[in-house]
Amino acid sequence: MKDFKKGLKSGVPIGLGYLSVSFAFGIMAISMGFSWWQAVLISMTNLTSAGQLAGIEIMVNPGLYLNMFLSQLTINVRYSFMSVSLSQKVSPQFSGIKRWILGFFMTDEIFAVASNEKEVSVKFFSGLTVFPYIGWTTGTLLGSLLGNILPDIVMNSLCLAIYGMFVAIVAPKAKENLSLLLVVGIAIALSCAFYYLPFLSNVGSGLSVCICAIIAAVIGAIFFPKEENADE
């Protein structure tokens, strides 16, 4: 029970952050024609901000299933790597169906907090996921219900929050690492090209996200490889 309470306490800041970001997602979902319960259901069954944002943009254009598959695979595959990495620190009791169930709640922030633990127990990780999940779902509900009440200028401002979250994640690391900054710059330049250039602008948003991410990652791997330590 002690580990569960520790996890709950550690998840409070994440939950508060998710509350504001998912509020923006709720607003965006409603603006694209989804009902409030559809927006909430998406958040309850996905728990991936970038994946949900890309998903609803593709869903409003029926038939683009390949784009949906490629974009979700590209955006969410990182959670698999996080889970593999964290599996090296979990307790022996953290196995079987417990990994399948709790793996659903893996996010960037939950991984960051859990990875700081010397050993991750089932109770700690379970407690860590409670407030982020509640915050993400509740924020989506509030955003979808209040989106029609708030002034347009407030709605437009809140919609920027979901992009601000990713800037907040990338900016500190990019500031410290020139190679990462260049890779991010390449991805931004490619994204702008797919948005503004006549021919490239016809490519679907999901496919363009995949192309930009893969090209930027390949360039980074070729020109800015990270050397492994001798003891690794």
Side-chain angles (χ1 to χ4, degrees), residues 65-76 206-207 209-210:
Y65 298 114
L66 179 59
N67 280 5
M68 176 72 78
F69 171 76
L70 292 175
S71 64
Q72 295 305 310
L73 178 64
T74 304
I75 292 171
N76 295 322
L207 185 58
V209 168
C210 299

Side-chain angles (χ1 to χ4, degrees), residues 6-20 109 113 128 131-132:
K6 181 181 178 182
L8 279 176
K9 184 177 180 181
S10 300
V12 170
I14 302 176
L16 293 175
Y18 284 0
L19 183 68
S20 59
E109 293 76 17
V113 173
L128 179 62
F131 285 117

Side-chain angles (χ1 to χ4, degrees), residues 36-101:
W36 69 268
W37 66 267
Q38 290 174 323
V40 173
L41 185 61
I42 290 173
S43 287
M44 290 179 66
T45 55
N46 286 272
L47 196 62
T48 165
S49 52
Q52 290 180 210
L53 180 62
I56 61 174
E57 290 180 347
I58 298 174
M59 288 169 69
V60 297
N61 298 297
L64 300 178
Y65 298 114
L66 179 59
N67 280 5
M68 176 72 78
F69 171 76
L70 292 175
S71 64
Q72 295 305 310
L73 178 64
T74 304
I75 292 171
N76 295 322
V77 72
R78 71 184 189 277
Y79 296 130
S80 298
F81 298 122
M82 292 178 189
S83 298
V84 171
S85 175
L86 193 63
S87 68
Q88 309 305 309
K89 305 185 69 173
V90 299
S91 63
Q93 293 75 25
F94 206 141
S95 60
I97 191 65
K98 298 174 184 177
R99 291 196 180 192
W100 285 90
I101 295 175

Side-chain angles (χ1 to χ4, degrees), residues 14 82 86 106-117 128:
I14 302 176
M82 292 178 189
L86 193 63
M106 181 66 72
T107 66
D108 303 272
E109 293 76 17
I110 289 177
F111 168 76
V113 173
S115 61
N116 288 325
E117 295 293 308
L128 179 62

Side-chain angles (χ1 to χ4, degrees), residues 4 8 11-23 40 43-45 47 104-105 107 110 126-143:
F4 184 78
L8 279 176
V12 170
I14 302 176
L16 293 175
Y18 284 0
L19 183 68
S20 59
V21 174
S22 61
F23 192 97
V40 173
S43 287
M44 290 179 66
T45 55
L47 196 62
F104 165 78
F105 298 95
T107 66
I110 289 177
S126 298
L128 179 62
T129 64
V130 172
F131 285 117
Y133 186 73
I134 293 176
W136 186 254
T137 305
T138 304
T140 301
L141 175 62
L142 294 176

